[in-house]
Amino acid sequence: QRDIQDYDAALKTANYLINASIKYYGINHPKTGFAYIARARYYTDIMIPDLAKKDLDKAYEIYNQNKNDSDLKNNLLTSYMNYYETIEQPYQKMKYLEELISSGVSQEFKTKELGKVYSKMKNVKKAEEYYTQYFEIIKDQQNNKESLFKYHVLLAEMYQETKNLDAYNTEINKAEEILSNIGDRKNELEILLNNVKIQYFIDMKQFNCALSTLERNEELISKYGKEYQKKNIIQYYIDYFREQKDIKKFNKFLITE
């Protein structure tokens, strides 16, 4: 309930910022562009892509009137990237990532995001190349357990999608080992790991494991997750009952979605 209230408050705040910025600065002011970006990110998080894209395109129109504003440009490019990642269009994401890289970003950001894009493109060789560079950057950083955990989860997801099951199991084991030594946010991070496991279990038709992991994630999301993750869990249930050929339950979750 608190998470829903937080998201309601975020939408109200974004709407207020848009209206206030238009009133005091004008429709084409950079502050108005930032306000539209804030609302677009909200819509991206709760997976309403049509409204997110509408606000991003509005912010882009404002940027065209303020092309010297590098902060607005970089925020807009990053938001487009997140949008296309969310709707799983890696080629479109690459377009904005390349433009952002040309504007100057850290090597850590560059290598991680390029690895993610090539992974979704199923170009494992290029993805591994950039993920290796990313690992070299983060491996010796202080307090890097969460970054290393997410690195192994990203690799596990790539190997799961490309059916390299030995490599998948290796990365899952590494992620689980790191997770066992994490204190803060452990439950939130387990949700990310479980998402990869659920898809693996469904693909391998290990339905008992898939269902128990789904139920575990449903519990974690209700206590520690974000509102948008509740939509993710519905998608996994849809995939699960489709593969199970349980039409009644499949239709139930399809209607919920």
Side-chain angles (χ1 to χ4, degrees), residues 19-255:
N19 292 330
S21 187
I22 291 173
K23 179 178 179 180
Y24 292 108
Y25 299 105
I27 187 64
N28 290 319
H29 195 279
K31 289 184 182 294
T32 306
F34 280 113
Y36 276 112
I37 289 171
R39 193 169 68 181
R41 287 178 173 174
Y42 163 83
Y43 286 134
T44 300
D45 279 350
I46 63 171
M47 302 179 84
I48 306 179
D50 290 346
L51 294 181
K53 183 64 162 51
K54 183 178 179 181
D55 278 349
L56 286 174
D57 290 345
K58 188 65 180 177
Y60 183 77
E61 291 176 11
I62 295 170
Y63 165 69
N64 278 333
Q65 306 295 319
N66 301 273
K67 288 198 171 181
N68 291 327
D69 194 313
S70 59
D71 287 340
L72 179 58
K73 176 183 179 180
N74 290 342
N75 272 272
L76 184 58
L77 291 173
T78 302
S79 298
Y80 269 119
M81 279 174 48
N82 292 338
Y83 167 78
Y84 283 113
E85 179 177 315
T86 299
I87 64 172
E88 297 189 354
Q89 292 188 14
Y91 290 94
Q92 284 294 99
K93 177 182 175 180
M94 177 66 92
K95 169 185 168 183
Y96 293 98
L97 176 56
E98 288 175 339
E99 190 172 351
L100 188 61
I101 289 171
S102 70
S103 299
V105 294
S106 70
Q107 279 295 106
E108 181 176 339
F109 178 89
K110 173 184 174 180
T111 54
K112 178 182 179 182
E113 292 301 320
L114 283 170
K116 288 165 66 176
V117 168
Y118 281 115
S119 173
K120 289 299 180 183
M121 291 178 177
K122 305 294 190 294
N123 188 335
V124 176
K125 183 177 180 180
K126 290 291 289 186
E128 287 177 331
E129 176 185 330
Y130 284 109
Y131 278 145
T132 298
Q133 294 177 34
Y134 173 63
F135 176 77
E136 290 300 317
I137 294 170
I138 66 172
K139 68 177 183 179
D140 296 322
Q141 292 178 351
Q142 290 185 334
N143 303 317
N144 66 348
K145 287 182 180 178
E146 184 171 327
S147 293
L148 288 171
F149 167 80
K150 290 181 177 178
Y151 161 76
H152 289 296
V153 170
L154 286 170
L155 284 176
E157 182 179 22
M158 176 176 68
Y159 291 132
Q160 179 271 319
E161 290 177 342
T162 55
K163 303 298 183 287
N164 186 340
L165 301 185
D166 288 339
Y168 162 83
N169 285 318
T170 297
E171 298 304 329
I172 285 290
N173 290 336
K174 289 179 180 178
E176 287 178 331
E177 181 181 352
I178 295 170
L179 185 63
S180 68
N181 294 307
I182 289 178
D184 295 341
R185 300 189 66 239
K186 183 174 184 176
N187 291 305
E188 296 174 51
L189 295 174
E190 185 184 342
I191 294 170
L192 302 178
L193 182 61
N194 285 345
N195 284 340
V196 181
K197 288 182 174 181
I198 290 165
Q199 194 60 61
Y200 168 81
F201 290 137
I202 292 173
D203 289 349
M204 299 302 293
K205 301 192 183 306
Q206 297 179 16
F207 295 120
N208 288 337
C209 294
L211 184 58
S212 63
T213 312
L214 268 166
E215 290 170 345
R216 170 62 176 165
N217 247 19
E218 192 170 14
E219 176 187 353
L220 286 170
I221 289 169
S222 68
K223 293 180 179 178
Y224 308 105
K226 298 296 184 182
E227 181 67 18
Y228 74 90
Q229 290 174 316
K230 295 176 182 178
K231 294 179 71 71
N232 288 347
I233 205 74
I234 292 172
Q235 283 294 333
Y236 284 119
Y237 272 116
I238 289 171
D239 289 345
Y240 172 79
F241 288 118
R242 180 195 296 113
E243 292 298 317
Q244 281 279 70
K245 296 181 172 48
D246 189 329
I247 302 302
K248 184 176 180 180
K249 291 182 178 178
F250 171 81
N251 288 332
K252 172 187 173 184
F253 281 96
L254 195 62
I255 292 169

